[in-house]
Amino acid sequence: MGRPSFAFAFAALLAAVEAQTYRRLGACPSLGCVLPPDQSDFLPGQDFDLRLEVHAPVNGSEAFNEGVPDEDFLVTITKEGGEAQNLADFFSIDEPEVEKWDFQWYEDLFAEDAGTPSVVNVASKIYRRLAIYEPGNYVIELSYYGDQKTTANWVVRPLATEKKAKNVILFIGDGMTTNMITAARLLGHHSINGKYQSLLQMDQFPVLGHQMTHSLDSFMTDSANSASALYSGHKSTVNALGVYVDSSPDPFDDPKVETIVEVLKRTWKSAWGAVSTAAISDATPIALTGHSRSRYQFGPLVDQALNSFTNYTWTNQGGPDVWFGGGAEQFYPGDESYKGKDYYAAFAEAGYDITLNRTSLLELGNSSRALGIFCQSHLPVWLDRNVFTENLEAFQNDPQGGDGPALDLPGLKDMTLKAIDILHKRGGDEGFFLMSEGASIDKQMHALDYDRALGDLLELDDTVRATVAHLKELGELENTLVLVTADHGHGFDVFGGVDTAYLSAGKTDREKRRAVGTYEKSGLSQYTVAPPEGVAYNTGPNFPLNWSPRYTLAQGFSANPDRRENYKVHKSPRRVVSNTPGFGSHEYFVDADDSPDGFVINGTLPVSDSSGVHSMTDVAVFAMGPCQETFGGVYGNIDLFYKMANCLGLGQPTDKAKEAPKYPAGVPAYPPPKGVHPLSP
Amino acid sequence: MGRPSFAFAFAALLAAVEAQTYRRLGACPSLGCVLPPDQSDFLPGQDFDLRLEVHAPVNGSEAFNEGVPDEDFLVTITKEGGEAQNLADFFSIDEPEVEKWDFQWYEDLFAEDAGTPSVVNVASKIYRRLAIYEPGNYVIELSYYGDQKTTANWVVRPLATEKKAKNVILFIGDGMTTNMITAARLLGHHSINGKYQSLLQMDQFPVLGHQMTHSLDSFMTDSANSASALYSGHKSTVNALGVYVDSSPDPFDDPKVETIVEVLKRTWKSAWGAVSTAAISDATPIALTGHSRSRYQFGPLVDQALNSFTNYTWTNQGGPDVWFGGGAEQFYPGDESYKGKDYYAAFAEAGYDITLNRTSLLELGNSSRALGIFCQSHLPVWLDRNVFTENLEAFQNDPQGGDGPALDLPGLKDMTLKAIDILHKRGGDEGFFLMSEGASIDKQMHALDYDRALGDLLELDDTVRATVAHLKELGELENTLVLVTADHGHGFDVFGGVDTAYLSAGKTDREKRRAVGTYEKSGLSQYTVAPPEGVAYNTGPNFPLNWSPRYTLAQGFSANPDRRENYKVHKSPRRVVSNTPGFGSHEYFVDADDSPDGFVINGTLPVSDSSGVHSMTDVAVFAMGPCQETFGGVYGNIDLFYKMANCLGLGQPTDKAKEAPKYPAGVPAYPPPKGVHPLSP
């Protein structure tokens, strides 16, 4: 092993800072990596893996030691006030073998355009299934290349042995910002002279907080990594679930962290469930149980939900007591199910009641575990299920894999109320944890279809309202912490009103823009005024009376692909704002069929992007119930996990896992990775 | 007077609903108007005027009674559970004379394009300086045209006689959204692996709320009418201050409502002050004392601040104890001061110390009232005062009216800390109320200059931090309710990172867009990394170390005029994104000199707009101190007034005004309106 000069190493570090939009490896600014990295927090007793990597870049601005990584790196752990100990000694485990691999990355866009990747050779070790029980500050120190060190400061948070809430229900409005909540309220609730005559249910929660959603290695997040932060108290990298992303090629060997349902099951044997209007294998629901750097490993992730993580010894969360959503592709046997297996059958064998439509969902008993998969892909949105119902016929989303449409579909409220009944029964005195997701707030904002997004936001709020009422009926309202939050934002806001008649009549794009009224010319909402022609949507209170008034909201995005906008509700589902000119092209232009009477707004995103993207804004947390007072103010997304864990008494001084079954080690590995290794484009 | 058939009246109402983007008169959907209108709230004892109008549209879709308004309208008031009383009897005042006028409006854009206004004849009465002392629900009923009625339901909120906070400091970040707070935090505070190493001061406030900002007659607001809602508990119309907008031509005869400083002075004789980085005559500071439908009556509004409202008998708020900001044009004698008078002299005669620069501001004693006017127009922003200081030379903003620049300028922190010292001294045991505004968050967002806006947001937060420390030093922290909020939003958000080198090098607009990185390619903030070339801004902690890194934030707007964007900091002040092709044109195109290496983003606003506009989003309220617990959750902007008034003990069962001086009636009226009568374009 060569000994680089200090000056050389310092130059390499500076270069790494410069080329920061593309990253060699998240949470690894120097050539030695500790995962979980510096600034990590832990629940006392929370299981985690620890990965160490030493990098030797072969070429590029960081080229070092002729590409030979130090295999003789050393690692110690020191509790504040104590002495440094060898890691394996501290955890009383055997020293793992050194692993080796290489990966590639691009330092910036110029390098990518030139096709000149930087290659990095890696030496690594992973210590599996560790836990620290004693609260306090710890320092991990990795020493490599003789004089180089990477330090990770960790905090093991205080013990929380007492259970203050019997149940926790966590509602996630995926991508839901305060701006969207404001707009949805205006659509669904009537106001007179600026005073609302009714409010959203979440408006009526007593405590409000904001959570900061940044990723570990980017100030932006996606739904996988933000969900893992909410569920595990550990931030990660875009597309990662329940793991810190290492640089190895295997998407299932990355260092894991235990999630709230894993800790809850191990500690109290409570019931747990997930409900989503997305495919149940989608990031937000699957992050409760999934451990993979790639959220796109849908099949294995469904297997992990049923059987827990089986590549290495890990907590067995027992399988969900209720699991309701879309994503039938991973259940009927075929290309998209894990190893081609029939997962409806696998769940049935494990004792689950299986339901594939709303009618049988409502008829389910409350004693058995239940799997409800109602369609392929994501559930059609509230607007199509309730207003433009003729659209449902056009879907090819039969939950058994046929070409026909799924027409007997539940909504989020149906699924959530049934889930509560089952969890209440099955959890008994140990209570339950339920995550219920309004998924298409995000998905429709990606499509820039704000009406569909806001319709699903109103559906989420309607579900929260029904949940509060139902908990009261069950006598569980006082025992249940109810949270409504989001995982990230979209840069959306309302900036005025639009006379759609005038816009449509305008002869040029620039003329049409005059139809937008701002300030006093925005007027009042016509969505809560009954349509003059007598059309009735019959969608009940707290939803618009009219989805297509002449005067609509002027709604915009901080970022978008090329699009055309007429500010009218899109009566056909699946808005496509931009498209490629033909097969083989990856450059998107305004779609010819979208909003043909509108005006063109050119995009601010790369022309290879066809949909909107997430934004950085803090998102709201509405809290009601036991521990509600701990959810006020501003905090990180990981703090939601610690607040919930504290309320559920999940910070324990001993290994309660010993009382709970652990899944045996040595079962067959997940299949080798398909598709893109994100670090080796 | 003719008697219309019911069917005819009903048809007219329907038409009025249709043509709602343009409005005949806010809060007046039928032909009879009661101001304050339906759904109004009042503090017990709060002074207000009551305006009644009966409309007779001469032409257009609402044409009625051949344009002859009913002059024999009747009005009653009924307390819940009591009997209807004639209004003049209830308030023991003389019946006022009927007034008559006419006005015009356009029913929609087609009518405006065709030049076919609707003309309305009006009969009206106004009852001046009323107050209701007994809490409860009241109904005002206006009867006209024989069988038509307009009903207003009012709530007089509960008494609040006890003072729980000695002092209230209300910080307003004008236009400040949660999205902007998130972005400013990223600029000014360093994070490691997603965990911030320091936070904004407002992040550390214990209680968080959201306020809904809608206007009375539009779901959008401006800063005048939202400030009045915050200060008076009454929503109004765009551009209006401390009044409900009637349809008469005089901008100073509209029905007034008493503001927090008027009630406070009348009730407790506390000290009060306002500090702003805007012209002190700008909407947010002037709404504390101003009563006019037009925020643009700067001269008279400055006179109202010093002498209180003098057209009719009204509360004398005594003049501010401290008044610091820009806007020298209304002070040195000339075209823009009220009646051409020297208001520096007028304030000096009233016993004020006058300061025109930072040096003398810091030397002021604390015993006398103080006026500090530091420049013409608004104060140059933090970024120009602290980073691009050479820009200050280019301003022609001498506070005495000369052509030279104002160079000895205070910041918001200087002004606020000095204001607290004076108010603390002068308020004595009765305490004080201070409003401190970070004004250019809004002004620079209008200019789409997000760096300057976010710099001023960081300055506001820095001021809040210094205020908390200073209150502690004074022993007043426990006695002071500190609030940080906003008046409305702008549709702004961060959606990724930008490689400005790659953007600049791109050959076409579409190529340049590839420089935008989203999700994991957003990277980490480089604003908190010291500039590699060794440039030091020396702006202290909690501000960026580097304002122009290679990798900047991708920042966008939900609405904008045509603009070109390179995502670099604009080193010259006053960004102009779009311009007219020449004299006499009102159509805006991308400005040739702005961001020449950027790419064009066409606008979503009318082509007659040259700047960004407000957005609808709820805005955050951060609270600390006595009564903090009442500021959690979601509520209307008017509720902030009632919460503050409750904490200050301003809801009184008797007329404390009798103990305080009332300004005599009959002094000369303000000059006739200049410029546009907003209802008669």
Side-chain angles (χ1 to χ4, degrees):
Chain A
M1 186 192 90
R3 276 288 170 93
S5 74
F6 173 76
F8 186 83
F10 186 67
L13 283 173
L14 268 189
V17 168
E18 267 297 283
Q20 67 99 51
T21 290
Y22 283 25
R23 305 179 65 72
R24 174 164 38 78
L25 180 64
C28 194
S30 56
L31 296 181
C33 320
V34 178
L35 301 171
D38 190 26
Q39 305 295 316
S40 295
D41 291 54
F42 298 82
L43 193 70
Q46 183 180 23
D47 285 356
F48 66 96
D49 301 332
L50 194 158
R51 166 76 78 186
L52 305 173
E53 293 188 16
V54 175
H55 291 185
V58 175
N59 60 335
S61 67
E62 298 183 299
F64 189 76
N65 202 40
E66 297 177 334
V68 180
D70 182 359
E71 297 179 30
D72 301 322
F73 53 85
L74 298 170
V75 61
T76 60
I77 181 167
T78 311
K79 184 170 193 296
E80 194 171 59
E83 296 201 351
Q85 278 185 269
N86 175 283
L87 198 80
D89 293 345
F90 179 86
F91 288 106
S92 306
I93 52 171
D94 294 335
E95 193 65 47
E97 295 296 303
V98 171
E99 302 169 74
K100 292 176 74 175
W101 61 77
D102 62 77
F103 70 95
Q104 299 184 352
W105 68 296
Y106 290 111
E107 294 193 11
D108 63 10
L109 287 161
F110 294 108
E112 188 171 334
D113 286 354
T116 54
S118 300
V119 176
V120 181
N121 290 322
V122 182
S124 173
K125 282 185 182 176
I126 188 161
Y127 302 76
R128 295 205 178 269
R129 206 167 188 199
L130 314 177
I132 305 176
Y133 296 91
E134 205 177 329
N137 297 326
Y138 294 81
V139 179
I140 314 298
E141 190 173 83
L142 174 66
S143 305
Y144 52 101
Y145 294 134
D147 55 357
Q148 293 195 36
K149 289 188 193 307
T150 297
T151 300
N153 296 285
W154 290 355
V155 177
V156 178
R157 298 212 184 181
L159 291 170
T161 56
E162 187 201 345
K163 209 169 174 181
K164 298 176 195 116
K166 179 178 165 192
N167 314 308
V168 171
I169 302 180
L170 173 63
F171 287 100
I172 298 181
D174 204 299
M176 178 176 72
T177 63
T178 299
N179 303 14
M180 297 175 201
I181 292 169
T182 309
R185 185 194 300 120
L186 189 79
L187 292 183
H189 294 269
H190 186 52
S191 71
I192 298 175
N193 294 328
K195 190 190 245 185
Y196 276 104
Q197 305 300 296
S198 60
L199 285 170
L200 297 170
Q201 177 65 47
M202 57 184 106
D203 292 336
Q204 300 170 56
F205 274 41
V207 175
L208 179 64
H210 282 171
Q211 44 137 326
M212 304 180 279
T213 68
H214 311 292
S215 297
L216 182 72
D217 54 355
S218 159
F219 49 77
M220 302 303 300
T221 188
D222 79 322
S223 292
N225 131 43
S226 58
S228 289
L230 296 172
Y231 301 156
S232 74
H234 291 265
K235 286 177 184 276
S236 188
T237 296
V238 170
N239 295 333
L241 297 160
V243 296
Y244 286 97
V245 171
D246 63 26
S247 68
S248 80
D250 184 347
F252 294 109
D253 75 343
D254 303 53
K256 300 180 292 301
V257 290
E258 217 178 13
T259 71
I260 191 161
V261 299
E262 290 169 336
V263 184
L264 181 68
K265 197 76 187 177
R266 182 167 59 71
T267 309
W268 300 117
K269 303 191 180 68
S270 309
W272 74 271
V275 163
S276 176
T277 53
I280 200 71
S281 56
D282 201 35
T284 306
I286 209 68
L288 285 166
T289 52
H291 297 281
S292 171
R293 104 154 39 116
S294 170
R295 59 186 281 187
Y296 301 108
Q297 300 289 335
F298 300 119
L301 288 166
V302 165
D303 185 78
Q304 287 181 17
L306 176 61
N307 296 316
S308 296
F309 190 87
T310 56
N311 261 15
Y312 306 94
T313 181
W314 195 247
T315 308
N316 187 341
Q317 34 73 15
D321 293 87
V322 279
W323 222 36
F324 296 155
E329 305 91 304
Q330 277 77 52
F331 289 87
Y332 56 77
D335 288 351
E336 299 189 54
S337 75
Y338 180 50
K339 293 184 174 172
K341 280 172 41 180
D342 181 342
Y343 270 82
Y344 288 133
F347 274 79
E349 277 162 38
Y352 282 77
D353 285 345
I354 312 291
T355 167
L356 301 182
N357 56 52
R358 180 175 185 270
T359 304
S360 68
L361 171 73
L362 299 183
E363 288 167 356
L364 276 183
N366 297 330
S367 300
S368 296
R369 301 202 289 184
L371 173 75
I373 302 295
F374 304 103
C375 59
Q376 296 171 47
S377 186
H378 313 305
L379 266 71
V381 300
W382 181 92
L383 199 65
D384 293 316
R385 281 185 284 109
N386 292 276
V387 177
F388 303 122
T389 50
E390 64 279 14
N391 286 338
L392 298 181
E393 301 279 355
F395 285 89
Q396 295 183 313
N397 60 347
D398 175 79
Q400 302 201 65
D403 289 341
L407 294 175
D408 184 7
L409 288 163
L412 186 64
K413 184 162 70 175
D414 300 320
M415 294 191 289
T416 301
L417 295 182
K418 187 51 160 173
I420 290 170
D421 284 338
I422 296 173
L423 291 169
H424 177 52
K425 172 91 175 178
R426 290 186 56 83
D429 291 344
E430 293 301 347
F432 64 83
F433 174 91
L434 171 65
M435 191 290 296
S436 171
E437 184 201 18
S440 288
I441 302 168
D442 170 73
K443 295 183 192 308
Q444 294 296 326
M445 281 290 170
H446 277 297
L448 311 189
D449 193 334
Y450 28 75
D451 289 302
R452 280 180 173 70
L454 298 177
D456 272 39
L457 198 162
L458 289 172
E459 181 188 39
L460 172 68
D461 189 67
D462 192 48
T463 302
V464 176
R465 183 180 292 104
T467 294
V468 170
H470 193 54
L471 288 171
K472 208 167 185 176
E473 284 165 13
L474 293 174
E476 290 287 339
L477 188 58
E478 282 67 38
N479 302 327
T480 307
L481 170 63
V482 183
L483 299 169
V484 186
T485 189
D487 49 353
H488 60 76
H490 283 259
F492 164 88
D493 213 341
V494 172
F495 60 94
V498 181
D499 182 346
T500 57
Y502 191 86
L503 192 149
S504 196
K507 289 191 186 65
T508 68
D509 276 18
R510 289 179 71 85
E511 263 183 44
K512 287 172 185 289
R513 285 161 60 182
R514 183 158 137 71
V516 172
T518 56
Y519 302 106
E520 72 280 11
K521 291 188 178 168
S522 307
L524 299 172
S525 167
Q526 286 201 335
Y527 293 83
T528 55
V529 179
E533 68 270 39
V535 171
Y537 294 116
N538 294 321
T539 48
N542 309 314
F543 287 97
L545 291 173
N546 187 1
W547 277 99
S548 55
R550 170 177 163 186
Y551 292 91
T552 61
L553 301 185
Q555 300 173 86
F557 298 89
S558 63
N560 58 275
D562 292 349
R563 78 185 205 265
R564 195 185 286 109
E565 196 60 78
N566 64 6
Y567 300 111
K568 291 178 186 169
V569 69
H570 298 272
K571 294 192 177 174
S572 63
R574 302 197 202 104
R575 185 179 186 193
V576 175
V577 295
S578 64
N579 231 320
T580 57
F583 183 76
S585 168
H586 297 292
E587 187 174 348
Y588 284 83
F589 296 88
V590 165
D591 186 84
D593 298 325
D594 183 62
S595 314
D597 61 342
F599 62 88
V600 171
I601 305 166
N602 67 287
T604 52
L605 293 171
V607 296
S608 55
D609 283 8
S610 60
S611 64
V613 296
H614 296 177
S615 75
M616 191 175 73
T617 182
D618 295 350
V619 293
V621 182
F622 301 89
M624 182 174 67
C627 313
Q628 65 181 34
E629 66 284 358
T630 65
F631 289 86
V634 179
Y635 38 85
N637 52 3
I638 65 164
D639 293 298
L640 234 87
F641 168 80
Y642 295 102
K643 290 171 194 290
M644 289 190 291
N646 195 56
C647 198
L648 286 168
L650 299 185
Q652 294 290 327
T654 56
D655 186 358
K656 286 220 169 196
K658 284 175 187 149
E659 305 162 29
K662 287 203 187 195
Y663 208 85
V667 293
Y670 296 108
K674 291 190 292 189
V676 175
H677 174 199
L679 291 165
S680 306
Chain B
M1 186 188 90
R3 276 287 171 93
S5 74
F6 174 76
F8 186 84
F10 187 68
L13 284 173
L14 267 190
V17 168
E18 266 297 283
Q20 67 99 49
T21 291
Y22 284 26
R23 304 180 65 73
R24 174 164 38 80
L25 180 63
C28 194
S30 56
L31 296 180
C33 321
V34 177
L35 301 171
D38 190 25
Q39 306 294 317
S40 294
D41 290 54
F42 298 82
L43 193 69
Q46 182 180 24
D47 285 356
F48 65 96
D49 302 331
L50 193 158
R51 166 75 77 186
L52 305 172
E53 293 188 16
V54 174
H55 290 185
V58 175
N59 60 333
S61 67
E62 298 184 299
F64 189 76
N65 202 39
E66 297 176 332
V68 180
D70 182 0
E71 296 179 32
D72 300 321
F73 53 85
L74 297 171
V75 61
T76 60
I77 182 168
T78 311
K79 184 169 193 297
E80 194 172 58
E83 296 201 351
Q85 278 187 269
N86 175 284
L87 198 80
D89 293 345
F90 180 87
F91 287 107
S92 307
I93 52 171
D94 294 335
E95 193 65 49
E97 295 296 304
V98 171
E99 302 169 74
K100 293 176 72 175
W101 62 76
D102 61 77
F103 70 93
Q104 298 183 354
W105 68 296
Y106 291 110
E107 293 192 12
D108 64 10
L109 287 160
F110 294 108
E112 189 172 335
D113 286 354
T116 53
S118 300
V119 176
V120 181
N121 290 322
V122 182
S124 173
K125 281 184 181 176
I126 188 162
Y127 302 76
R128 294 203 179 269
R129 206 167 188 199
L130 314 177
I132 305 177
Y133 296 91
E134 206 176 327
N137 297 326
Y138 294 80
V139 179
I140 314 298
E141 189 172 84
L142 174 67
S143 304
Y144 50 102
Y145 295 135
D147 56 357
Q148 293 196 37
K149 289 187 193 306
T150 296
T151 299
N153 296 284
W154 290 357
V155 177
V156 178
R157 297 212 183 182
L159 290 170
T161 56
E162 187 200 344
K163 209 168 171 179
K164 297 174 197 120
K166 179 178 165 192
N167 314 309
V168 171
I169 302 180
L170 173 63
F171 287 100
I172 298 181
D174 203 300
M176 179 175 73
T177 63
T178 299
N179 304 15
M180 296 175 201
I181 292 169
T182 309
R185 186 193 301 120
L186 190 79
L187 291 183
H189 295 268
H190 186 52
S191 71
I192 298 175
N193 294 328
K195 191 190 244 185
Y196 276 104
Q197 304 300 296
S198 59
L199 285 171
L200 297 169
Q201 177 65 47
M202 57 183 108
D203 291 337
Q204 301 171 57
F205 275 41
V207 175
L208 179 63
H210 282 170
Q211 43 136 328
M212 304 180 277
T213 69
H214 311 293
S215 296
L216 183 72
D217 53 357
S218 158
F219 49 76
M220 303 302 301
T221 187
D222 79 322
S223 292
N225 132 43
S226 58
S228 288
L230 295 172
Y231 301 157
S232 74
H234 292 264
K235 286 176 183 278
S236 188
T237 297
V238 170
N239 295 332
L241 297 161
V243 296
Y244 285 97
V245 171
D246 63 26
S247 68
S248 80
D250 184 348
F252 294 108
D253 74 343
D254 303 54
K256 301 181 292 300
V257 290
E258 217 178 13
T259 72
I260 191 162
V261 299
E262 291 169 335
V263 184
L264 181 67
K265 197 75 185 180
R266 182 166 59 71
T267 309
W268 299 117
K269 302 190 180 69
S270 309
W272 75 270
V275 163
S276 177
T277 53
I280 200 72
S281 55
D282 201 36
T284 306
I286 210 70
L288 284 166
T289 52
H291 297 280
S292 171
R293 102 149 46 108
S294 170
R295 59 187 281 186
Y296 301 109
Q297 300 289 335
F298 301 119
L301 288 166
V302 165
D303 185 78
Q304 286 181 18
L306 177 60
N307 296 316
S308 297
F309 190 87
T310 55
N311 261 16
Y312 306 94
T313 182
W314 194 247
T315 308
N316 187 341
Q317 34 72 16
D321 292 87
V322 280
W323 221 38
F324 295 155
E329 305 91 306
Q330 277 78 51
F331 290 87
Y332 55 77
D335 288 351
E336 298 188 53
S337 74
Y338 179 50
K339 292 182 175 173
K341 277 171 47 179
D342 182 341
Y343 270 80
Y344 288 134
F347 274 79
E349 278 163 36
Y352 283 77
D353 285 345
I354 312 292
T355 168
L356 303 182
N357 55 53
R358 180 175 186 271
T359 304
S360 69
L361 171 72
L362 299 182
E363 289 167 354
L364 277 183
N366 296 331
S367 300
S368 297
R369 300 200 290 183
L371 174 75
I373 301 295
F374 304 103
C375 60
Q376 297 170 47
S377 186
H378 312 305
L379 265 70
V381 301
W382 182 93
L383 199 65
D384 293 317
R385 280 186 284 108
N386 292 276
V387 176
F388 303 122
T389 51
E390 64 278 15
N391 287 337
L392 297 180
E393 302 279 355
F395 284 89
Q396 294 184 314
N397 59 346
D398 174 82
Q400 303 201 66
D403 289 341
L407 294 176
D408 185 6
L409 289 164
L412 186 64
K413 183 161 72 174
D414 299 321
M415 295 192 289
T416 301
L417 295 183
K418 187 50 161 174
I420 289 170
D421 284 338
I422 295 173
L423 292 169
H424 177 52
K425 172 90 176 183
R426 292 185 55 84
D429 291 343
E430 293 300 348
F432 64 82
F433 174 91
L434 171 64
M435 191 290 297
S436 171
E437 185 202 17
S440 287
I441 302 168
D442 170 73
K443 296 183 192 309
Q444 295 295 326
M445 280 291 170
H446 277 297
L448 312 189
D449 194 332
Y450 29 75
D451 289 302
R452 280 180 173 70
L454 298 177
D456 273 38
L457 198 162
L458 288 172
E459 182 189 37
L460 173 68
D461 190 67
D462 192 48
T463 302
V464 177
R465 183 180 291 103
T467 293
V468 170
H470 194 54
L471 289 171
K472 208 166 184 179
E473 284 165 13
L474 294 173
E476 290 287 340
L477 188 58
E478 281 68 38
N479 303 326
T480 307
L481 170 63
V482 184
L483 299 169
V484 186
T485 188
D487 50 353
H488 60 77
H490 282 258
F492 164 89
D493 214 340
V494 172
F495 60 94
V498 181
D499 182 346
T500 58
Y502 191 87
L503 192 151
S504 194
K507 289 193 184 66
T508 68
D509 277 18
R510 288 178 72 86
E511 264 184 43
K512 287 171 186 289
R513 284 161 60 181
R514 184 158 138 70
V516 171
T518 56
Y519 301 105
E520 73 280 10
K521 291 189 178 169
S522 307
L524 298 172
S525 168
Q526 286 201 336
Y527 293 83
T528 55
V529 179
E533 68 270 40
V535 171
Y537 294 116
N538 293 321
T539 48
N542 310 314
F543 288 96
L545 291 173
N546 187 1
W547 277 98
S548 54
R550 172 177 162 187
Y551 292 91
T552 61
L553 301 185
Q555 300 174 85
F557 298 90
S558 63
N560 58 273
D562 292 350
R563 78 184 205 267
R564 196 185 285 107
E565 195 60 78
N566 63 6
Y567 299 111
K568 291 178 185 169
V569 68
H570 297 273
K571 295 193 176 173
S572 63
R574 301 194 203 107
R575 184 177 187 196
V576 174
V577 295
S578 64
N579 230 322
T580 58
F583 183 76
S585 167
H586 296 291
E587 186 174 349
Y588 285 84
F589 296 88
V590 165
D591 186 84
D593 297 327
D594 183 61
S595 314
D597 62 341
F599 62 89
V600 170
I601 305 166
N602 68 286
T604 51
L605 293 170
V607 297
S608 55
D609 282 9
S610 60
S611 64
V613 296
H614 296 179
S615 75
M616 192 175 73
T617 182
D618 295 351
V619 293
V621 182
F622 301 90
M624 182 173 68
C627 312
Q628 66 182 32
E629 67 283 358
T630 64
F631 289 86
V634 179
Y635 38 85
N637 53 3
I638 66 163
D639 293 298
L640 234 86
F641 167 80
Y642 295 103
K643 290 171 193 292
M644 290 190 291
N646 194 56
C647 198
L648 285 167
L650 298 185
Q652 294 290 326
T654 56
D655 185 359
K656 286 221 170 194
K658 283 174 187 149
E659 305 161 28
K662 286 203 189 196
Y663 208 83
V667 293
Y670 297 109
K674 291 191 292 189
V676 175
H677 174 200
L679 292 166
S680 305

